Amino acid sequence: MGVPTFPKAAHEALGDSQLRSNLRHATHTIRDKRAAAVGEVPDWERLRRAGEAIKDETLAHLDTYLQKLEAAVTSRGGVVHWARDAAEANAIVLQLTRAAGADEVVKVKSMATAEIGLNEALEEGGVTAIETDLAELIVQLGDDRPSHILVPAIHRNRAEVREIFRDKMPGAPADLSAEPKALAEAARRHLREKFLSAKVAVSGANFAVADTGSIMVVESEGNGRMCLTLPQTLITVMGIEKLVPTSRDLEVFLQLLPRSSTAERMNPYTSMWTGVTPGDGPQEFHLVLLDNGRTATLSDPVGRQALRCIRCSACLNVCPVYERTGGQSYGSVYPGPIGAILTPQLVDDPHDKQAASLAFASSLCGACFEVCPVRIDIPEVLTHLRARAVDNKSKASPEALAMSAMASVFADPRKYALAQRAGAAAAKLAPSDGKVSRLPFPGSRWTATRDMPMPAAESFRTWWK
């Protein structure tokens, strides 16, 4: 993926006290509000299980539902495009934008387009992409990377946002204050001009309904509504897993998603459209169905549950690792616990050390599973991916050799007894607390992150004998 492995990136992030302060304040605030919103719903656990069941049913028959979606969208005047990977999806969007005679597009916040690097691909093709979500705009103007699924600029405070706007936003007042109202007004004035002049808009999709061909986007600011209604051409890039079979299924997810993500009872803006309606809204609609590793993920009986994700970000807000290291340490558009299980599967490259390292970016405390609205057992998938990462390592690596030697000792009672006696002898040389904090290489690979506990001075076998 071209970025440092998680341990190295996390170590650098831990040295940024401002980042840790920003993250702690934001995640704890969102976490507390979410708990209150969820506590209002007496059948929350039944809703979670319903969401899990609907997603599993969809994934089990994904080919059938995708064909139904294509037929429904086409019958209502839309055009469906299939993209096997990021390169194909980017080429499709660029070609459609050029065909519309546009050199600029406005964008609704979209994880899928960030995943495929659409903005960069459009820029190489001579097209400027304008992020219209406030947090995404902050990230874009600051030449930064997002660090949260729901709040991409969560690592920035108001003072930092003010400086970014004053330095990078055209027309921003020189005396711009750090008050939220003033910052929002500056962004509104900047974006309004873009909305009114844009010929093409690009969006993602929160859900798509297979039997009607309807696409849904939920958001909190109204920028999405502007993008989805004003331009002449609308292009939606959607991961193939975002389907639900029927409109009735949305009843479940429109209760689960807002409470889990923004701690709201319902989303302020819920936009839903079906194909093209003459004289109303965009007159060209293109749906790009993106695979980009999802089919490979679906083939893994354990890992496929990651495709249930509805991008609520609840797992990030309760994760002790994310809270201390931030999203940029994950090196992926999908940070936190869900990113740790989704990214390695989408990348699906056993030689990518950064992707493989993400499965170890967890304490396995299980808090992420407890809050997941569609019951993704993230700790189960993490341990599954850890095993896969170990299997892909060289059999001659220090870790593999150490484990092989340990297996040989544990399999032989005589070797095991000798090892215990040697350990007991070494324990007499250990510090009084029975822990060693520093060992020479290769033991330093262990003690760099945790203490080495010493064996007991007297083993159970010795005592029993």
Side-chain angles (χ1 to χ4, degrees):
M1 293 170 62
V3 292
T5 58
F6 181 83
K8 181 177 181 180
H11 183 75
E12 294 175 358
L14 287 171
D16 188 337
S17 59
Q18 183 64 61
L19 172 70
R20 296 203 313 275
S21 175
N22 293 348
L23 286 170
R24 178 176 174 79
H25 173 74
T27 56
H28 279 249
T29 299
I30 299 172
R31 182 193 309 179
D32 293 343
K33 288 182 177 180
R34 177 202 169 276
V38 168
E40 297 176 349
V41 184
D43 60 343
W44 182 254
E45 187 58 29
R46 289 182 62 195
L47 282 169
R48 289 180 73 208
R49 292 187 178 276
E52 174 188 18
I54 293 169
K55 279 292 186 178
D56 283 350
E57 155 67 18
T58 307
L59 294 173
H61 305 284
L62 188 58
D63 52 349
T64 300
Y65 289 123
L66 284 170
Q67 291 177 45
K68 287 185 66 175
L69 176 70
E70 180 184 33
V73 170
T74 303
S75 68
R76 289 163 174 80
V79 180
V80 176
H81 309 262
W82 298 81
R84 286 170 290 192
D85 54 27
E88 286 193 1
N90 290 333
I92 291 168
V93 176
L94 180 58
Q95 187 274 325
L96 292 173
T97 303
R98 286 173 171 168
D103 58 7
E104 190 173 87
V105 300
V106 289
K107 289 186 65 204
V108 187
K109 181 179 181 296
S110 164
M111 302 299 295
T113 59
E115 173 190 329
I116 62 177
L118 178 63
N119 289 11
E120 293 77 10
L122 289 177
E123 185 176 4
E124 289 180 5
V127 176
T128 302
I130 306 296
E131 296 289 354
T132 65
D133 174 85
L134 179 56
E136 290 283 5
L137 178 64
I138 294 167
V139 170
Q140 185 179 45
L141 291 175
D143 295 321
D144 203 353
R145 289 189 294 123
S147 61
H148 194 277
I149 289 177
L150 182 68
V151 194
I154 196 173
H155 57 294
R156 297 290 194 182
N157 59 33
R158 289 184 292 170
E160 292 173 310
V161 173
R162 176 189 59 191
E163 293 307 311
I164 291 172
F165 280 11
R166 286 170 58 180
D167 293 342
K168 300 293 184 67
M169 181 184 287
D175 60 346
L176 180 64
S177 77
E179 289 301 311
K181 182 178 180 180
L183 296 174
E185 180 62 22
R188 183 182 296 113
R189 290 179 179 276
H190 169 70
L191 291 173
R192 184 57 57 97
E193 179 183 346
K194 303 297 183 181
F195 288 136
L196 295 176
S197 62
K199 297 179 180 179
V200 177
V202 176
S203 83
N206 290 100
F207 304 102
V209 181
D211 64 353
T212 64
S214 302
I215 312 297
M216 176 178 284
V217 167
V218 296
E219 38 118 8
S220 300
E221 300 173 11
N223 62 296
R225 182 69 56 82
M226 301 286 275
C227 291
L228 298 169
T229 54
L230 291 176
Q232 182 73 12
T233 300
L234 173 60
I235 306 168
T236 296
V237 181
M238 185 189 88
I240 57 175
E241 83 282 12
K242 290 300 187 73
L243 273 176
V244 295
T246 69
S247 298
R248 184 176 181 181
D249 298 321
L250 294 173
E251 174 194 353
V252 173
F253 294 108
L254 289 181
Q255 294 182 74
L256 289 171
L257 180 56
R259 291 178 188 268
S260 293
S261 57
T262 56
E264 295 169 300
R265 296 181 179 90
M266 64 182 293
N267 292 99
Y269 293 89
T270 300
S271 301
M272 196 167 184
W273 68 97
T274 307
V276 173
T277 301
D280 183 15
Q283 296 304 288
E284 286 189 36
F285 171 58
H286 298 269
L287 175 63
V288 181
L289 295 173
L290 176 69
D291 187 326
N292 205 39
R294 287 161 174 79
T295 298
T297 303
L298 187 61
S299 68
D300 186 331
V302 177
R304 71 174 57 147
Q305 58 185 297
L307 296 177
R308 291 185 206 147
C309 179
I310 57 175
R311 309 293 191 265
C312 70
S313 75
C315 62
L316 280 69
N317 300 323
V318 299
C319 179
V321 176
Y322 173 86
E323 180 186 318
R324 288 158 178 79
T325 63
Q328 294 183 352
S329 298
Y330 294 79
S332 165
V333 67
Y334 302 112
I338 186 60
I341 65 171
L342 186 59
T343 300
Q345 297 189 88
L346 295 182
V347 173
D348 196 29
D349 179 359
H351 303 295
D352 193 317
K353 293 182 179 180
Q354 194 277 337
S357 73
L358 294 179
F360 300 88
S362 171
S363 65
L364 298 180
C365 67
C368 48
F369 174 53
E370 293 179 10
V371 300
C372 178
V374 288
R375 291 176 48 83
I376 301 172
D377 193 342
I378 294 177
E380 179 188 31
V381 183
L382 284 169
T383 54
H384 170 67
L385 294 176
R386 288 182 182 188
R388 191 172 78 177
V390 171
D391 290 341
N392 288 331
K393 285 185 177 180
S394 168
K395 302 305 179 186
S397 68
E399 181 183 19
L401 293 174
M403 290 299 168
S404 177
M406 186 178 294
S408 175
V409 170
F410 275 47
D412 188 317
R414 288 178 298 176
K415 291 180 181 178
Y416 188 70
L418 287 172
Q420 283 189 317
R421 286 198 290 271
K428 296 177 182 179
L429 304 175
S432 58
D433 61 359
K435 297 178 181 178
V436 177
S437 299
R438 184 174 299 174
L439 286 173
F441 184 84
S444 59
R445 298 292 297 273
W446 177 282
T447 56
T449 56
R450 56 181 70 82
D451 291 335
M452 172 67 75
M454 294 301 296
E458 183 181 42
S459 70
F460 174 81
R461 286 188 174 201
T462 303
W463 175 83
W464 182 256
K465 185 176 180 180

